[in-house]
Amino acid sequence: MRRVRYTETGGPEVLRIEETAVPVPGPGEVLVRTEAIGLTLPVVRKVREGGLPLPTGPGGEVAGKIAAVGAGVTGFAVGDRVTGLCFTDAFADFALVHTAMLSPVPEGASAADAVALVRCGLVALGAYEAARPAAGESVLVTAAAGGSGHLAVQLAKARGAGRVVAAVSSADKAEFVRSLGADEVVTYGDESWGAPVDIVLDAVGGELLSPAIAALAPGGRIVAYSSGGGTIEAYDLLVGAKSAIGFQMALIARERPELMERWRRELWELFAAGRIRPRVDCELPLEDVAKAFGIIESRANRGKVILRPV
């Protein structure tokens, strides 16, 4: 089978496709014949910034059919359509996924739907829940055209937000985020982000934290779920009685699996009702993995970037 690996950190140019044996699932794992693979900004940053033993393969979201099951696996069988997250070697013809990170794909949903909806949707819904929103509150979403952000805009509307503001990197994304239901659109460089909001869901971090905090109304909350880092000045929180909340999906997966499962069910219910629709920016062959990484890193995408092994 083919898999993507890298032996040094850097940009898309460090990624290589190699031939290797099909892996064998261990206890609690299933082997998925991948049909769609989703790429995220945190994975792109990990490839560029390092921190993992090398060589390794990028992790990511996968969807496909189960080809084999490991010892002790219950609730899943060969031939089941599934989606899940694997932390390494996701970009391959076959991927190993632990059942704790796995969920079934319902009838009527494609592999691309599953990859675009489940993991990014869990992050978006979890970040929104972390803000403890009340009905009618206003919400601003940064990276609103991205994989998680475009779902966060839709989820905020579906959950009863009174006003949803989409913050994007460039004005050419305005039409896209308005099609998702955004009431207003701002770009990062705008002098003002409009009337203050009750909640900011931030997937960017870094230098964007200051204007994001400034966009909050007194008593407002910012939920930071970005891998981009950055610093928040305590004084900026104190003067407006504002709050900063961190959210990490991995912690929920480890400590609150029942909550993650409840959120999964809600996402599929909203999908079935037509209230949220994952958008796919492009679907590329596995051989174009470097191109896919470049699209994500340049923030050119509108929705999910997906690789198709077959």
Side-chain angles (χ1 to χ4, degrees):
M1 74 166 197
R2 301 165 301 165
R3 71 178 176 189
V4 175
R5 287 219 148 189
Y6 59 103
T7 59
E8 59 182 321
T9 55
E13 71 280 353
V14 305
L15 301 169
R16 299 287 183 272
I17 295 179
E18 64 179 28
E19 290 287 339
T20 189
V22 175
V24 176
E29 292 181 329
V30 303
L31 179 70
V32 177
R33 177 67 168 97
T34 56
E35 297 174 9
I37 305 164
L39 180 59
T40 63
L41 183 59
V43 170
V44 171
R45 284 173 169 161
K46 192 172 291 185
V47 171
R48 182 170 288 281
E49 298 167 9
L52 289 176
L54 298 173
T56 189
E61 308 129 334
V62 302
K65 289 184 179 179
I66 294 178
V69 299
V73 170
T74 59
F76 295 98
V78 171
D80 287 353
R81 299 175 67 235
V82 294
T83 186
L85 176 72
C86 46
F87 297 101
T88 61
D89 292 329
F91 292 78
D93 292 315
F94 292 87
L96 294 174
V97 185
H98 196 280
T99 54
M101 307 304 295
L102 201 65
S103 62
V105 177
E107 290 296 325
S110 68
D113 287 333
V115 160
L117 178 68
V118 175
R119 184 65 183 178
C120 285
L122 286 171
V123 171
L125 182 53
Y128 189 56
E129 284 273 282
R132 298 180 177 86
E137 285 192 310
S138 52
V139 182
L140 184 146
V141 179
T142 66
S148 293
H150 89 284
L151 292 170
V153 170
Q154 296 178 69
L155 285 165
K157 295 295 287 188
R159 284 290 204 87
R163 169 174 151 253
V164 177
V165 183
V168 292
S169 58
S170 58
D172 60 358
K173 297 178 179 178
E175 183 178 351
F176 173 70
V177 292
R178 285 191 186 279
S179 75
L180 304 172
D183 300 298
E184 300 171 25
V185 182
V186 300
T187 61
Y188 301 152
D190 289 348
E191 185 175 342
S192 169
W193 285 5
V197 297
D198 300 301
I199 296 168
V200 170
L201 304 180
D202 178 50
V204 180
E207 295 179 355
L208 213 64
L209 284 173
S210 291
I213 294 291
L216 284 173
R221 296 90 72 199
I222 181 171
V223 179
Y225 64 100
S226 162
S227 61
T231 301
I232 295 175
E233 295 290 338
Y235 181 78
D236 293 339
L237 300 177
L238 288 171
V239 293
K242 302 172 183 179
S243 301
I245 303 163
F247 176 77
Q248 185 188 53
M249 195 64 224
L251 183 63
I252 299 295
R254 289 195 303 268
E255 306 293 335
R256 301 283 306 279
E258 75 291 346
L259 180 58
M260 190 169 73
E261 183 55 37
R262 191 183 83 199
W263 288 346
R264 277 196 193 113
R265 289 196 302 270
E266 180 175 348
L267 288 170
W268 283 123
E269 288 167 2
L270 290 168
F271 175 83
R275 300 181 68 190
I276 59 172
R277 279 289 178 263
R279 306 292 181 87
V280 175
D281 179 86
C282 59
E283 297 184 38
L284 302 170
L286 188 63
E287 291 79 8
D288 285 344
V289 61
K291 180 180 179 180
F293 269 63
I295 291 169
I296 292 288
E297 193 164 43
S298 65
R299 296 184 181 276
N301 58 302
R302 293 163 176 77
K304 195 70 177 173
V305 174
I306 290 175
L307 286 160
R308 288 279 197 177
V310 292

